[in-house]
Amino acid sequence: MTGRELEWSRGDRAKAAAKLMVGWVALLWLLEVVDVASGHALDGLGITPRTPSELVDVVPAAFIHFGFAHVAANSVPLLVMGFLAALGGLRRFAAVCALIIVADGLGVWLIAPAHTNTAGASGLIFGLFGYLLVTGFVERRPLGVLVGLLVGAVWGTSILVGLAPTQSGVSWQGHLLGLVAGVATAFVFKRRTPEPA
């Protein structure tokens, strides 16, 4: 592969990642518009803990928000961290997101306080943060380490605040479980480096 072909493949990958994340965030805003227009009918897709029928909401809950301010707070970190994670390949990114969303949702279903309703992309965001933070170290890739350090520097304080159990109306359980799932995902989807001949 020539340098020019490699450059184009990287450019194409970046374009695909950008389109995916812009579309993803746009979908979250569209769903909130529908939710408001329907009198918040979609809020019921959040997760109510330990109710068997709520297990079907484990995945949809990651796409539902409680108001435009909620969507706005999640949009930029999801857009940026999702884009960075998707640069590693869209199939891998889809698998990473699926594992984080399912693990986080099931964890919330198991341990969140009774009579609560948990929804939003923040569990995935915390998961992507954990994934990006450790992937470079796990795979021993200098560029990945640099990305992880930059992500940690930009969002580290916000992540720590989001883990505090003292915040009213915030699912610190969902945040913590998402973070743990993201770190675990970095090991699950670790790229195998070819052994020297």
Side-chain angles (χ1 to χ4, degrees):
M1 181 177 284
T2 67
R4 185 172 180 79
E5 288 171 332
L6 184 59
E7 181 182 333
W8 272 106
S9 65
R10 286 177 179 169
D12 290 343
R13 185 178 293 182
K15 287 178 184 176
K19 287 178 181 177
L20 173 63
M21 293 318 302
V22 168
W24 192 319
V25 172
L27 173 62
L28 300 185
W29 281 90
L30 176 61
L31 288 171
E32 187 54 33
V33 169
V34 171
D35 185 46
V36 170
S38 64
H40 300 286
L42 298 184
D43 288 354
L45 295 176
I47 301 168
T48 301
R50 295 168 298 282
T51 302
S53 62
E54 290 291 305
L55 285 171
V56 297
D57 292 334
V58 162
V59 173
F63 296 86
I64 303 304
H65 291 79
F66 302 130
F68 291 112
H70 191 194
V71 184
N74 285 336
S75 291
V76 172
L78 179 61
L79 186 66
V80 176
M81 286 190 252
F83 171 76
L84 292 173
L87 288 175
L90 297 188
R91 287 183 186 174
R92 186 181 195 216
F93 176 69
V96 165
C97 289
L99 183 55
I100 292 171
I101 288 171
V102 171
D104 181 57
L106 288 175
V108 166
W109 185 85
L110 283 170
I111 72 168
H115 312 298
T116 57
N117 185 16
T118 303
S122 57
L124 174 60
I125 291 167
F126 275 67
L128 290 174
F129 175 86
Y131 173 78
L132 291 169
L133 193 66
V134 304
T135 295
F137 294 97
V138 170
E139 298 180 352
R140 299 182 182 180
R141 295 175 186 265
L143 182 57
V145 170
L146 179 60
V147 169
L149 292 175
L150 288 173
V151 167
V154 173
W155 278 288
T157 302
S158 298
I159 294 296
L160 287 175
V161 170
L163 294 174
T166 54
Q167 285 190 300
S168 176
V170 174
S171 175
W172 65 268
Q173 298 93 343
H175 292 172
L176 178 60
L177 291 163
L179 181 62
V180 171
V183 171
T185 301
F187 289 90
V188 172
F189 292 105
K190 177 183 177 182
R191 284 192 176 94
R192 306 292 180 217
T193 53
E195 296 182 7

